[in-house]
């Protein structure tokens, strides 16, 4: 494995199938401290059972990114991810958003209606690229993060709302009560928006 000190893989076979776990020793200074704390697997109870792909971490804070950047491969990957997220949110995720998070974060991908997928895949590479928006609509991405500074993040999201307005994308602010908790919801100002982000009970939810 490139940029690692070694790798260990275990495979467990059962009557119903098999599972595989892989450990990669990246020798990244500070990574142990960034991921320290309670077991990450405990965060899985925030993920709906129909998720097809999930990510759990307790390192969604500046220390985590700083440690990961000590590895060139991880640093390049983070540059792409953080850059994309910053463009999508109209905020600098690394310098502005992460300092307001406690660390625990989950991300999950859920599949929606796939009835049109076989026909789209038969169109070849160019057809698939043209239909990428339709394919992305078949995926539902959910992100949650524990927030350390709710007031600070609220101000940032309001700033993001203004930045989107400058781009011609109007975002509306909705206040709702969800299971007894006050929720501050930001969503496109249109009928039946397909995405949104919110602050509720000390958590950021996308």
């Amino acid at each position: 494995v490139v940029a690692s000190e070694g790798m260990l893989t275990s495979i467990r076979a059962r009557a119903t199938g098999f599972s595989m776990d892989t450990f990669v020793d990246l020798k990244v200074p500070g990574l142990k401290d960034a991921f320290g704390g309670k077991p990450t697997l405990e965060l899985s109870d925030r993920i709906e059972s129909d998720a097809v792909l999930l990510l759990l971490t307790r390192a969604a804070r500046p220390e985590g990114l700083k440690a990961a950047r000590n590895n060139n491969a991880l640093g390049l990957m983070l540059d792409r991810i953080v850059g994309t997220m910053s463009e999508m949110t109209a905020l600098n995720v690394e310098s502005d958003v992460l300092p307001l998070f406690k660390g625990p974060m989950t991300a999950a991908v859920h599949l929606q209606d796939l009835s049109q997928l076989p026909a789209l895949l038969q169109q070849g590479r160019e057809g698939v690229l043209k239909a990428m928006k339709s394919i992305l609509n078949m995926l539902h991405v959910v992100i949650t993060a524990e927030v350390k500074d709710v007031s600070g993040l609220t101000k940032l999201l309001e700033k993001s709302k203004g930045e989107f307005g400058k781009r011609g994308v109007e975002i509306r602010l909705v206040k709702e009560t969800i299971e007894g908790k006050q929720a501050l919801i930001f969503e496109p100002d249109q009928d039946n928006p397909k995405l949104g982000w919110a602050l509720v009970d000390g958590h950021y939810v996308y």
Side-chain angles (χ1 to χ4, degrees):
V1 178
V2 179
S4 77
E5 296 295 323
M7 180 176 71
L8 176 66
T9 298
S10 66
I11 300 176
R12 288 170 287 184
R14 299 182 178 86
T16 56
F18 71 92
S19 62
M20 181 173 66
D21 295 315
T22 299
F23 171 78
V24 180
D25 186 0
L26 297 176
K27 293 293 183 183
V28 176
L31 198 60
K32 179 180 178 181
D33 295 332
F35 281 89
K38 298 179 181 179
T40 304
L41 192 59
E42 293 179 1
L43 301 175
S44 62
D45 61 0
R46 304 177 185 179
I47 305 293
E48 295 294 330
S49 59
D50 63 343
V52 296
L53 181 67
L54 60 90
L55 168 70
L56 309 174
T57 182
R58 291 190 180 276
R61 55 183 187 270
E63 299 91 332
L65 262 67
K66 181 179 179 181
R69 288 193 184 283
N70 288 319
N71 179 281
N72 290 334
L74 288 177
L76 290 173
M77 182 175 66
L78 283 172
D79 285 342
R80 295 177 182 177
I81 294 174
V82 172
T84 300
M85 292 181 66
S86 296
E87 179 65 24
M88 291 173 61
T89 59
L91 296 170
N92 189 312
V93 173
E94 187 167 359
S95 63
D96 296 336
V97 179
L98 281 184
L100 305 179
F101 285 171
K102 289 183 178 179
M105 174 183 282
T106 70
V109 177
H110 305 263
L111 298 180
Q112 303 297 301
D113 184 6
L114 300 179
S115 59
Q116 300 180 29
L117 185 59
L120 293 174
L121 295 178
Q122 291 176 6
Q123 296 177 14
R125 183 175 181 275
E126 292 186 3
V128 169
L129 291 176
K130 291 180 180 179
M132 187 57 67
K133 183 176 181 180
S134 297
I135 293 176
L136 291 176
N137 285 337
M138 298 177 187
L139 304 176
H140 182 203
V141 179
V142 179
I143 298 173
T144 73
E146 291 185 18
V147 180
K148 178 171 59 177
D149 184 352
V150 175
S151 176
L153 186 56
T154 300
K155 293 178 181 178
L156 267 183
L157 294 178
E158 290 175 344
K159 175 185 175 182
S160 174
K161 176 178 178 293
E163 290 297 324
F164 276 117
K166 294 177 183 178
R167 300 180 184 181
V169 180
E170 294 300 324
I171 302 296
R172 65 189 175 209
L173 179 59
V174 181
K175 294 182 179 180
E176 291 188 7
T177 300
I178 302 175
E179 296 185 354
K181 307 292 185 180
Q182 185 71 31
L184 198 61
I185 303 171
F186 296 80
E187 61 186 17
D189 191 7
Q190 61 188 47
D191 293 334
N192 301 317
K194 295 184 179 296
L195 60 86
W197 46 99
L199 279 170
V200 56
D201 194 27
H203 288 75
Y204 168 81
V205 181
Y206 174 87

